[in-house]
Structure formats: C-alpha cells, structure tokens
C-alpha cells in the first residue's frame, strides 16, 4: 500500500483556512468578490 502524503493534506487545509479568512475579511470590509473593484473613476490630468 502507498504511503499517505500528510504534507499535501496539511497544505490543502492551510489553503482552505487562508481562503476562508480572506473571505471573512472582505465581508467585514463590505467588498464582494462578484463586484468589480474598479468602481472609482480614473481621473486623467490634461496638463500636457
């Protein structure tokens, strides 16, 4: 029987934990992933 790769499982858990934490942080700040984050208009300088 093949040896289990526990480091892979641990890494997957860490990635899931980071993702969940990031989603919680974004929810707290009121930013949704579905909305584009470029809502602010870009002001161009015509001082040329």
């Amino acid at each position: 029987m093949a040896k289990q790769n526990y480091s892979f499982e641990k890494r997957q858990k860490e990635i899931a934990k980071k993702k969940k934490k990031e989603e919680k942080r974004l929810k707290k700040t009121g930013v949704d992933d579905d909305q584009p984050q470029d809502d602010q208009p870009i002001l161009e300088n015509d001082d040329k």
Side-chain angles (χ1 to χ4, degrees):
M1 190 166 140
K3 182 178 171 184
Q4 277 196 302
N5 190 354
Y6 291 109
S7 61
F8 176 79
E9 291 177 17
K10 183 178 179 183
R11 181 71 182 135
Q12 293 303 309
K13 284 182 183 180
E14 289 174 356
I15 291 170
K17 190 176 180 181
K18 282 184 180 183
K19 184 178 178 184
K20 188 174 181 181
K21 191 173 184 179
E22 180 68 14
E23 287 174 357
K24 190 174 183 180
R25 185 188 65 82
L26 289 174
K27 187 176 179 184
K28 247 185 173 179
T29 59
V31 177
D32 291 334
D33 289 338
D34 298 336
Q35 297 177 351
Q37 295 184 3
D38 297 329
D39 290 341
Q40 299 177 353
I42 299 172
L43 302 175
E44 296 181 16
N45 293 334
D46 294 332
D47 296 339
K48 294 182 181 176

